Amino acid sequence: MSDISRAMIMAAGMGNRMRPLTDKMPKPLVPFLGKPLIDHALDKLAAAGVSDVVVNLHYKAEMLEAHLKGRTRPRIQFSDERDKLLDTGGGLKKARPLLGEVPIFVMNSDTVWAEGMSPVLDRMKAFWDAEKMDALLMMAPAVTTIGECRRGDFTMDGLGRLTRRREAHVAPFMFAGVQIFHPRLLEGTPEGVFSTNILWDKAAEEGRLFGLRLDGVWMHVGTPGDLAEAEAFMRDL
């Protein structure tokens, strides 16, 4: 199993679709089952052996910074995007000096799921192969996702290699907000604002973008309605 001890949580977004809950707080602090969303993410990472996490900041940054200030497991560092929101790829590039040059977990701050037979982050570490992969994405079957389910994001072959959904088609898997990411993918990327999608497309063209199926249930909590549906599902387990 790969030893992945660092991670980044993407927490800088505006959370517009979660309004009115995010009128008074950043989305990572919105409660889910009585605990802020970001604490669910941090607890999952700590359980997987992650010791150090970088959290990027922008919207209502002071509130998030104050909430995480006393956390020691995992240890928290901040990547400050208060001056300019950089999107996912730009945020990773800005945080690269804090993250180092080894594979890391990258997780959305609002990613929640019910585990299957074994913890999926441990399964991802076991499946990760830096010799043939640049990114390994947690994949949720679209048919079992709780919350808004779009047309899917990727198809996946028997080896786990990912291909983008073609326009006007439906794909069986959705990106579930967690990946193992190798910083070498950032080489040659633009300065400023850009999406991780650029990096995934590069990896896919080279046959180095892979996925691992979540055997539990992913909950897409993009809106207050999605959040309520996810909480009801978890309480019924």
Side-chain angles (χ1 to χ4, degrees):
M1 182 179 293
S2 300
D3 180 20
I4 298 175
S5 61
R6 290 181 173 269
M8 181 165 182
I9 291 184
M10 312 304 293
M14 299 295 293
N16 290 327
R17 296 180 64 244
M18 192 60 85
R19 297 188 188 280
L21 298 178
T22 49
D23 287 339
K24 297 182 178 180
M25 68 183 75
K27 186 177 181 181
L29 294 186
V30 169
F32 176 71
L33 298 175
K35 183 167 67 175
L37 284 165
I38 195 168
D39 286 333
H40 289 274
L42 287 165
D43 290 347
K44 294 271 194 185
L45 289 168
V50 171
S51 60
D52 294 89
V53 176
V54 174
V55 177
N56 65 344
L57 303 169
H58 178 77
Y59 178 64
K60 297 191 180 296
E62 294 79 9
M63 292 181 67
L64 189 54
E65 199 170 24
H67 175 74
L68 296 175
K69 188 175 180 180
R71 181 129 191 173
T72 58
R73 185 175 182 269
R75 293 182 293 269
I76 306 295
Q77 291 180 284
F78 297 107
S79 180
D80 198 325
E81 296 180 28
R82 270 175 269 227
D83 290 341
K84 185 176 183 180
L85 190 59
L86 296 172
D87 205 344
T88 50
L92 274 167
K93 186 164 185 172
K94 180 178 175 64
R96 188 175 184 179
L98 300 174
L99 294 167
E101 299 301 319
V102 295
I104 59 170
F105 279 113
V106 181
M107 183 181 294
N108 294 343
S109 62
D110 60 349
T111 292
V112 291
W113 68 89
E115 295 286 11
M117 294 295 291
S118 59
V120 68
L121 299 187
D122 289 343
R123 292 176 53 230
M124 290 178 72
K125 289 198 298 182
F127 189 61
W128 171 256
D129 183 349
E131 294 298 316
K132 66 179 182 181
M133 302 175 186
D134 285 331
L136 172 64
L137 280 54
M138 186 169 86
M139 292 281 97
V143 294
T144 59
T145 293
I146 303 295
E148 179 194 0
C149 185
R150 303 181 301 275
R151 298 166 66 91
D153 300 316
F154 294 96
T155 59
M156 184 164 57
D157 69 16
L159 297 176
R161 193 173 284 108
L162 297 178
T163 304
R164 287 274 193 190
R165 174 181 63 83
R166 291 187 292 163
E167 190 174 353
H169 285 69
V170 174
F173 293 103
M174 298 177 66
F175 171 58
V178 184
Q179 63 176 312
I180 295 177
F181 176 87
H182 202 295
R184 63 186 168 219
L185 260 181
L186 292 166
E187 296 296 336
T189 51
E191 296 299 324
V193 181
F194 67 94
S195 171
T196 308
N197 282 300
I198 294 174
L199 309 178
W200 290 347
D201 288 344
K202 175 185 175 184
E205 288 172 6
E206 297 173 358
R208 299 181 61 83
L209 182 67
F210 283 74
L212 184 70
R213 177 175 178 156
L214 172 67
D215 61 356
V217 177
W218 180 54
M219 285 154 276
H220 184 261
V221 291
T223 68
D226 292 340
L227 190 73
E229 186 179 357
E231 287 189 321
F233 173 81
M234 291 295 289
R235 290 192 179 104
D236 288 341
L237 285 180

